[in-house]
Amino acid sequence: MADTASRPSPASTEPAPPAAKRRVGNLAMVWRYASRYPVQIAIAGLALLVSAGATLWIPRTFKMVVDNGFAANADAGRIAPYFQGLIGVVVVLAIATAVRFYFVSWLGERTVADIRTAVHRNLLRLAPRWFEENRPSEIASRLTADTAIIEQVVGSTVSIALRNIVIGIGGVIYLFALAPKLAASLLLGIPVLILPIVVLGRRVRRYSRTSQDRLADIGSIAVETLGAMKIVQAFGQETREGDRFEAAVGNSFASARQRFALRAVMTAMVIGLLFGGVVLIMWEAVHDVANGSLSGGALTAFVLTGGIVTGSFGALTEVWGDLLRASGAAARLSELLAEEPEIAAPAVVTPLPQPARGAIAFEGVRFHYPTRREVAALEDFTLSVQPGETVAVVGPSGAGKSTLFQLAQRFYDPDAGRVTLDGVDLRDAVPAAVRARIAMVPQETVIFGASARDNLRYGRWEASDDALWAAAEAANAAEYLRKLPEGLDTFLGEGGARLSGGQRQRLTIARALLRDAPILLLDEATSALDAESEQLVQQALERLMANRTTLVIAHRLATVRAAERIVVMDDGRIVEEGSHGVLIGRGGLYARLASLQFNDAV
């Protein structure tokens, strides 16, 4: 039976959960990663409490200065200790704030690093099918832009929010101690302050999510265009690509403008309500001072504390907006963390036999690509390749040749039938164990932006330098590798830009040699090479194929004349099978394909 894992939904079209769940649940995900560092959290929390306490102590000191320094019989010596104490409070406030800033920033960076690592590791588990339905460039944006938002929130916003909450609550308590009637009037205005935050905050959250999606579109277009710059310029599409990028930037700006315009309205409402209320309360406070029910020092302390409390609650509007943006970012990252690999080891694993034989078989396989369900890539396909045998697969484009490689490496599971390796159904084995027995040489070379050494070691990471050079010699790659400026430590550039096509292909062959796997999947690698490079690559391939089970996809029939068996495919089925001479004599599809490439078809 085919794998029954549920099909992953494209991340960008995943239905959004209810607002409350999205807000609480996604920020809880961030907290799970931050809570791994309780010592740093405790130090930051303690520093926050100390700095908040020092901030609230300043108005009390001014109260003592005013009440004792402005009396008729005031003595300058009596108020000196208060100023000395105030200097001490400022020193404590400075130190505590610095400690809080350091540890909160550390938490932000560390939490984001952990989230990025976790998301990336989960992405590495997903099947290629998932990446066909989700753009890698958009995913990269989530790992950068979205995590940057979370870093800001964890490393700054949350700390500011907690500090303002502590100062606000402590300030309200002190206000009640100074003037209960005035404090009660101030407190009654808080619901009026909260209302616009709640009502407008929901719309800000929606706009934040949309804005982040548009930002991801910008990154996707930039990566795509810059990665294909030669094609863009060769076809004279610079203007069109510039217009497309400008349109994406315009959409992002329009989305962001909606968000910050709404936040501006919300901020204006909150600040207006806050300071308007403070003015009215201070008006009443002046009357209390005039009739002697409130001292001048108490009024001074009330004004200072009221300003601090007002500023604290006012700052929470900005904090709330940042939290809403972080909620959207966390939602997008949570989707990536929640993705489960469609191709995974079964609950009960069948171990592959030891030692490896290298037999591979397709038995009655039917397969449709998920994105092309209307067309069968393989239909009732049966093929058995014996250990050490070389089988060439030929056929027109779209016949299903590459699909064999995809199924053999278990990047997909068949809809019907089965694929076996040394007699074990691939769905019953661990995918990594299956792939460990296969070496792959693709037609389109993949060279990483790293050193030649690391590109070679991709075949076997623990390989010694002697093994690397031995593989390079066998692949006819050692000569040009020795001529590189820093030998194996030379950086090869993005996609191996510093190498020619033939050099890149020989490097991938050396990588496959180093893997030393019993099965070789070879997507013909010589079709785009010049004669000299093709000869060197062909010699390397012959060494690579020796004593291995080899399945070759052949685009140029000249390379498969010597194959032990040639399988001809069309429309996902085997239509002919035999040696080169036998197939030519039959006059079928192979003969017609050969007549297009050879003058001497016989």
Side-chain angles (χ1 to χ4, degrees):
M1 293 178 63
D3 197 304
T4 58
S6 60
R7 181 180 178 180
S9 301
S12 58
T13 59
E14 187 76 21
K21 291 183 179 179
R22 184 167 70 243
R23 181 170 62 252
V24 175
N26 294 324
L27 294 180
M29 178 274 289
V30 177
W31 168 249
R32 284 198 304 272
Y33 285 92
S35 61
R36 297 176 179 178
Y37 306 100
V39 174
Q40 287 79 5
I41 291 175
I43 295 174
L46 179 61
L48 184 148
L49 291 174
V50 172
S51 63
T55 301
L56 292 172
W57 195 262
I58 292 174
R60 182 182 181 280
T61 305
F62 274 106
K63 176 182 180 299
M64 302 300 296
V65 170
V66 172
D67 285 342
N68 293 278
F70 291 90
N73 58 345
D75 179 4
R78 292 175 57 191
I79 64 172
Y82 299 114
F83 278 105
Q84 293 168 357
L86 183 60
I87 292 174
V89 170
V90 170
V91 171
V92 170
L93 175 61
I95 295 174
T97 301
V99 171
R100 175 182 63 84
F101 175 81
Y102 174 82
F103 281 98
V104 166
S105 299
W106 188 96
L107 276 170
E109 292 288 350
R110 186 67 263 170
T111 298
V112 163
D114 290 348
I115 291 175
R116 281 176 177 154
T117 300
V119 170
H120 188 257
R121 288 191 182 279
N122 195 55
L123 291 173
L124 292 174
R125 299 167 57 230
L126 303 181
R129 165 181 170 177
W130 190 86
F131 295 94
E132 293 174 5
E133 300 173 347
N134 297 272
R135 293 182 301 173
S137 55
E138 193 269 343
I139 296 168
S141 174
R142 298 192 188 193
L143 286 172
T144 53
D146 287 350
T147 51
I149 293 172
I150 291 177
E151 188 277 329
Q152 176 189 351
V153 169
V154 177
S156 175
T157 304
V158 170
S159 172
I160 293 172
L162 291 175
R163 180 177 178 274
N164 286 326
I165 289 172
V166 171
I167 290 176
I169 294 174
V172 168
I173 293 173
Y174 185 48
L175 289 175
F176 271 100
L178 288 171
K181 182 181 67 173
L182 297 178
S185 300
L186 184 64
L187 201 60
L188 288 175
I190 290 180
V192 180
L193 174 67
I194 297 296
L195 185 61
I197 296 178
V198 174
V199 174
L200 297 179
R202 294 174 181 172
R203 296 185 64 186
V204 171
R205 182 168 57 249
R206 290 198 300 270
Y207 289 145
S208 295
R209 171 87 187 213
T210 303
S211 180
Q212 289 157 27
D213 288 339
R214 298 292 77 77
L215 188 62
D217 291 341
I218 292 175
S220 298
I221 292 174
V223 170
E224 181 180 57
T225 305
L226 296 177
M229 186 56 67
K230 291 180 180 178
I231 298 299
V232 172
Q233 294 179 354
F235 285 88
Q237 295 297 315
E238 296 94 333
T239 301
R240 191 192 72 83
E241 290 297 347
D243 292 342
R244 187 162 72 105
F245 185 81
E246 184 178 359
V249 171
N251 291 335
S252 176
F253 174 75
S255 178
R257 184 174 59 185
Q258 290 179 313
R259 171 178 53 80
F260 62 66
L262 194 58
R263 285 185 65 177
V265 171
M266 183 171 67
T267 301
M269 291 179 63
V270 170
I271 291 177
L273 291 170
L274 270 173
F275 286 95
V278 169
V279 170
L280 294 175
I281 291 170
M282 291 310 301
W283 190 359
E284 185 177 354
V286 171
H287 289 289
D288 291 342
V289 173
N291 61 33
S293 61
L294 190 68
S295 71
L299 175 60
T300 302
F302 192 93
V303 171
L304 288 174
T305 306
I308 292 172
V309 170
T310 301
S312 296
F313 284 119
L316 289 178
T317 62
E318 284 293 313
V319 166
W320 183 248
D322 288 341
L323 289 176
L324 294 178
R325 291 187 68 206
S327 172
R332 290 154 57 87
L333 291 168
S334 293
E335 290 169 2
L336 298 181
L337 284 169
E339 288 291 345
E340 290 294 332
E342 183 181 9
I343 302 298
V348 179
V349 174
T350 300
L352 295 174
Q354 294 288 351
R357 297 173 54 243
I360 189 166
F362 301 82
E363 302 174 3
V365 171
R366 183 178 75 249
F367 176 71
H368 298 72
Y369 281 100
T371 54
R372 304 191 299 274
R373 300 298 302 176
E374 70 281 359
V375 179
L378 294 177
E379 187 68 58
D380 193 25
F381 184 89
T382 298
L383 174 67
S384 179
V385 184
Q386 299 304 312
E389 184 182 13
T390 296
V391 174
V393 182
V394 302
S397 177
K401 304 184 296 295
S402 297
T403 302
L404 300 181
F405 284 14
Q406 303 286 335
L407 295 177
Q409 295 174 93
R410 208 192 165 198
F411 292 146
Y412 300 90
D413 284 331
D415 300 323
R418 66 176 193 158
V419 182
T420 66
L421 176 60
D422 288 342
V424 176
D425 191 323
L426 297 190
R427 287 169 296 200
D428 296 330
V430 177
V434 171
R435 294 162 192 164
R437 297 194 174 191
I438 298 174
M440 170 73 174
V441 179
Q443 182 182 13
E444 297 183 2
T445 58
V446 176
I447 303 296
F448 296 94
S451 66
R453 182 189 309 279
D454 286 350
N455 271 283
L456 281 171
R457 290 199 304 163
Y458 226 75
R460 180 159 51 91
W461 198 257
E462 69 280 4
S464 65
D465 276 9
D466 289 342
L468 295 180
W469 283 115
E473 290 282 359
N476 287 334
E479 182 179 356
Y480 79 80
L481 287 175
R482 287 194 173 94
K483 293 179 180 178
L484 293 175
E486 300 175 53
L488 292 181
D489 293 318
T490 302
F491 177 71
L492 299 183
E494 192 74 23
R498 301 180 68 176
L499 302 179
S500 69
Q503 290 173 335
R504 288 195 295 268
Q505 198 61 265
R506 280 176 275 160
L507 187 62
T508 62
I509 293 172
R511 180 191 297 164
L513 278 163
L514 203 62
R515 190 165 181 81
D516 195 23
I519 296 176
L520 172 64
L521 303 181
L522 178 60
D523 194 349
E524 187 185 359
T526 61
S527 57
L529 301 179
D530 59 75
E532 182 179 359
S533 295
E534 180 179 357
Q535 183 178 13
L536 291 172
V537 170
Q538 195 61 48
Q539 292 171 355
L541 289 174
E542 290 172 3
R543 298 188 187 102
L544 178 60
M545 294 164 64
N547 303 318
R548 286 184 174 85
T549 304
T550 305
L551 195 59
V552 183
I553 291 178
H555 304 282
R556 297 176 64 178
L557 303 187
T559 63
V560 300
R561 287 181 171 185
E564 299 168 28
R565 185 161 44 123
I566 300 173
V567 173
V568 185
M569 294 184 64
D570 193 21
D571 291 331
R573 293 181 170 88
I574 296 178
V575 295
E576 292 181 300
E577 189 171 352
S579 66
H580 172 76
V582 170
L583 292 174
I584 289 293
R586 289 177 182 171
L589 176 59
Y590 182 84
R592 291 198 301 273
L593 293 173
S595 69
L596 298 175
Q597 297 186 27
F598 305 141
N599 291 325
D600 53 338
V602 296

